[in-house]
């Protein structure tokens, strides 16, 4: 059954997508994702919101873009008499940002169905691992390093879980690391060197290739790329976030569909 037929009785339920946001050119990734969401849910009202107040302020100041945060949109919907909405997280793991998003339900007098982040179930990890195939490539002599933002939330183990699932798909050449927290760059680099790899492919495990990608992974003197190259490794870097891959967006589509399913007809 298509998404259109499956949710034809819930066309009055808005879908509120909540991403962290970015001030970089990577905003085009959101546009690419939006096209997939509209293809999957053509008859539903899809509303984008951004959880980073810093990003919102910067874009208002520099580009006069008035982005909405989820609280603002929920208040507007409540004032229009909306009874139900899907609040869909576009975060990658269930960390602090997800908990802050879930707390938004306490600010309005309406029912919300929370759509889970990208990596929330074994099925999610398996589907994401397969969705990354276009950027992993088939070079058995090349280490693949999936680099996430990192967190001090208990969900930090998500990065190792994805590494384990990806190793089942692509073999022991897959490694994980994070910009902030554990496993940090030095830990990941040491593991790669001990395995004897000479080539490394870095995949940003971030929805968009924003500031962290530009500075922490490639540009700064202590960036992942330059640090690895200083150790004699040949490094290539995927130039976009995972949101660029339709297979990743379709995992979010499934989460939206599941969130819609719990709303009574």
């Amino acid at each position: 059954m298509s998404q259109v037929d499956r949710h034809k009785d819930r066309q009055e339920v808005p879908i509120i997508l909540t991403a962290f946001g970015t001030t970089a050119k990577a905003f085009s990734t959101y546009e690419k994702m939006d096209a997939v969401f509209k293809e999957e849910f053509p008859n539903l009202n899809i509303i984008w919101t951004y959880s980073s107040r810093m990003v919102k302020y910067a874009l208002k100041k520099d580009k006069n873009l008035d982005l909405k945060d989820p609280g603002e949109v929920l208040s507007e919907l409540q004032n229009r008499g909306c009874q139900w909405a899907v609040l869909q997280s576009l975060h990658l793991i269930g960390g602090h940002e997800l908990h802050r998003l879930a707390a938004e339900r306490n600010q309005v007098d309406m029912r919300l169905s929370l759509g889970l982040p990208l990596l929330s179930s074994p099925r999610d990890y398996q589907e994401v691992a397969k969705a990354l195939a276009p950027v992993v490539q088939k070079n058995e002599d090349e280490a693949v390093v999936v680099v996430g933002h990192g967190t001090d939330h208990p969900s930090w183990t998500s990065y190792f879980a994805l590494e384990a699932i990806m190793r089942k798909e692509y073999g022991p050449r897959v490694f994980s690391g994070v910009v902030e927290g554990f496993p940090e760059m030095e830990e990941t680099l040491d593991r790669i060197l001990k395995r004897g790899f000479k080539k490394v492919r870095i995949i940003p495990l971030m929805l968009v290739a924003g500031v962290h990608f530009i500075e922490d992974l490639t540009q700064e003197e202590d960036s992942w790329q330059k640090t690895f190259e200083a150790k004699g490794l040949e490094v290539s870097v995927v130039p976009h976030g995972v949101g660029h891959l339709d297979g990743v967006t379709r995992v979010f589509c499934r989460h939206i569909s599941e969130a819609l399913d719990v709303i009574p007809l």
Side-chain angles (χ1 to χ4, degrees):
M1 181 183 297
S2 71
Q3 300 285 15
V4 177
D5 294 333
R6 182 175 175 179
H7 302 301
K8 63 182 179 181
D9 295 319
R10 298 182 175 88
Q11 293 179 14
E12 299 303 317
V13 178
I15 300 171
I16 306 168
L17 305 173
T18 302
F20 183 79
T22 180
T23 58
K25 291 186 295 184
F27 222 94
S28 60
T29 297
Y30 293 145
E31 296 171 351
K32 191 173 190 298
M33 295 178 71
D34 187 59
V36 177
F37 290 131
K38 288 177 177 175
E39 174 189 336
E40 290 286 326
F41 305 99
N43 298 320
L44 276 69
N45 183 21
I46 296 175
I47 306 169
W48 280 81
T49 68
Y50 304 90
S51 59
S52 172
R53 270 56 172 182
M54 179 183 69
V55 168
K56 180 182 174 182
Y57 173 79
L59 288 175
K60 177 65 176 177
K61 178 182 177 182
D62 299 337
K63 300 183 180 180
N64 199 33
L65 291 177
D66 189 18
L67 303 182
K68 299 290 186 180
D69 62 55
E72 290 175 305
V73 169
L74 287 171
S75 294
E76 292 174 1
L77 290 172
Q78 177 181 269
N79 292 338
R80 295 206 299 264
C82 182
Q83 299 296 311
W84 273 97
V86 168
L87 188 57
Q88 176 61 51
S89 162
L90 292 184
H91 305 106
L92 299 195
I93 64 175
H96 296 299
E97 289 290 328
L98 177 67
H99 289 274
R100 281 192 280 268
L101 180 62
E104 295 285 356
R105 70 181 66 191
N106 300 323
Q107 309 303 316
V108 292
D109 185 20
M110 59 187 292
R111 303 289 297 276
L112 297 177
S113 181
L114 183 65
L116 295 175
L118 183 68
L119 297 171
S120 298
S121 71
R123 179 181 175 183
D124 294 340
Y125 284 86
Q126 292 162 2
E127 290 184 2
V128 169
K130 293 181 184 299
L132 292 175
V135 292
V136 170
Q137 297 190 342
K138 297 179 179 180
N139 185 351
E140 296 299 324
D141 296 327
E142 182 180 62
V144 175
V145 187
V146 183
V147 183
H149 181 279
T151 182
D152 59 1
H153 186 273
S155 60
W156 67 272
T157 54
S158 299
Y159 300 107
F160 281 116
L162 181 61
E163 177 186 303
I165 297 296
M166 288 187 67
R167 284 189 167 206
K168 290 185 67 176
E169 187 74 21
Y170 304 108
R173 64 191 181 102
V174 177
F175 301 83
S176 62
V178 296
V179 173
E180 299 175 7
F182 185 85
E184 64 275 0
M185 177 175 60
E186 291 76 12
E187 171 78 16
T188 303
L189 175 59
D190 184 60
R191 295 174 65 204
I192 291 170
L193 292 174
K194 285 181 177 178
R195 290 294 306 274
F197 285 101
K198 301 299 183 183
K199 296 181 180 180
V200 176
R201 185 169 181 80
I202 296 176
I203 301 174
L205 187 63
M206 304 167 190
L207 200 64
V208 298
V211 173
H212 276 300
F213 169 79
I214 295 169
E215 295 180 355
D216 296 321
L217 296 190
T218 65
Q219 285 189 356
E220 300 292 340
E221 285 302 315
D222 59 351
S223 68
W224 286 65
Q225 180 175 0
K226 292 186 177 180
T227 300
F228 280 29
E229 288 173 343
K231 292 293 184 178
L233 297 172
E234 181 181 331
V235 182
S236 62
V237 183
V238 174
H240 53 71
V242 296
H244 192 77
L245 303 169
D246 285 356
V248 167
T249 305
R250 295 194 189 280
V251 174
F252 283 120
C253 288
R254 176 166 53 79
H255 290 182
I256 292 171
S257 185
E258 291 166 353
L260 285 165
D261 283 343
V262 304
I263 297 175
L265 298 176

